[in-house]
């Protein structure tokens, strides 16, 4: 799937791993083969805990949340449909 460790952690609900990774300033714009960033993957979680973790991080900015996946969806699109 071309997932990074952060993609896998977000999909698995590994909140603590994500929190501990952010101070190391990972590249949150990396996309997997589906064109999804870790934010897209986190948005599929029903409780949005992982999205909240990223929203508190200053490295998450407007261009990052505007990235479109291969289905033509942004982070906002996924959050609104979940």
């Amino acid at each position: 799937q071309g997932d990074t460790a952060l993609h896998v952690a977000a999909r698995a609900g590994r909140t603590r791993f994500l929190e501990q990774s952010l101070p190391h300033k990972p590249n949150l714009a990396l996309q997997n083969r589906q064109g999804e960033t870790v934010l897209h993957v986190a948005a599929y979680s029903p409780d949005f805990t992982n999205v909240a973790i990223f929203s508190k991080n200053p490295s998450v900015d407007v261009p990052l949340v505007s990235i479109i996946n291969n289905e033509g969806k942004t982070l906002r699109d996924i959050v609104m449909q979940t």
Side-chain angles (χ1 to χ4, degrees):
Q1 292 179 332
D3 288 344
T4 66
L6 289 177
H7 284 93
V8 174
R11 187 171 288 113
R14 301 288 188 175
T15 304
R16 187 168 179 197
F17 178 85
L18 297 172
E19 289 173 327
Q20 292 174 341
S21 298
L22 290 177
H24 300 285
K25 300 180 181 177
N27 183 350
L28 300 177
L30 290 176
Q31 293 173 275
N32 62 15
R33 290 189 184 130
Q34 291 77 34
E36 296 176 330
T37 66
V38 67
L39 291 171
H40 286 101
V41 174
Y44 288 110
S45 172
D47 67 2
F48 299 111
T49 302
N50 292 337
V51 174
I53 290 168
F54 291 115
S55 69
K56 297 175 192 173
N57 191 288
S59 65
V60 176
D61 55 14
V62 173
L64 186 59
V65 299
S66 300
I67 294 174
I68 299 171
N69 68 12
N70 293 354
E71 294 179 351
K73 295 180 181 177
T74 64
L75 172 64
R76 181 174 186 224
D77 297 329
I78 295 168
V79 168
M80 296 304 286
Q81 80 178 28
T82 305

